[in-house]
């Protein structure tokens, strides 16, 4: 039970933090890669993306860079699902 409570509390704190910073920050491919490398889960990264302005580079080279950084369109494991963003990334 404590683990579920901790996860819920952590998600709530992250949502509050993201809400306060969303106006000033514009997310890029590099931001998403940094979040994934920091070990944040897919759900958290997707929530951040959905609540923030963004400027993603969808070129072939940048999509390959995202895939190599474990930011994947397939999901699974610790991968962030890039097609969950509500943006065709």
């Amino acid at each position: 039970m404590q683990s579920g409570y901790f996860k819920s509390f952590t998600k709530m704190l992250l949502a509050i933090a993201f809400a306060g910073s969303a106006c000033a920050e514009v997310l890029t491919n590099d931001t998403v890669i940094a979040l994934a490398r920091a070990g944040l889960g897919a759900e958290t990264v997707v929530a951040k993306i959905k609540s923030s302005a963004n400027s993603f580079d969808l070129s072939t080279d940048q999509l390959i860079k995202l895939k190599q950084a474990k930011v994947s369109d397939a999901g699974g494991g610790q991968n962030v699902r890039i097609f969950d963003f509500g943006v065709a990334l």
Side-chain angles (χ1 to χ4, degrees), residues 10-59:
T10 302
K11 288 178 187 178
M12 182 183 69
L13 288 177
L14 288 171
I16 292 168
F18 291 155
S21 65
C23 296
E25 185 175 19
V26 176
L27 298 184
T28 64
N29 296 37
D30 289 335
T31 310
V32 173
I33 290 170
L35 293 171
R37 285 186 177 158
L40 295 172
E43 187 176 306
T44 302
V45 175
V46 170
K48 174 71 172 164
I49 291 166
K50 287 182 177 181
S51 68
S52 301
N54 60 65
S55 179
F56 295 117
D57 180 347
L58 303 178
S59 67

Side-chain angles (χ1 to χ4, degrees), residues 1-14 43-44:
M1 280 300 227
Q2 188 176 13
S3 178
Y5 175 77
F6 180 75
K7 280 185 174 183
S8 295
F9 182 72
T10 302
K11 288 178 187 178
M12 182 183 69
L13 288 177
L14 288 171
E43 187 176 306
T44 302

Side-chain angles (χ1 to χ4, degrees), residues 36 40-43 45-46 66-82 84:
L40 295 172
E43 187 176 306
V45 175
V46 170
L66 286 165
K67 183 71 171 182
Q68 290 171 340
K70 306 286 189 225
V71 180
S72 170
D73 62 344
Q78 291 297 315
N79 293 351
V80 175
R81 297 185 60 207
I82 63 175
D84 280 348

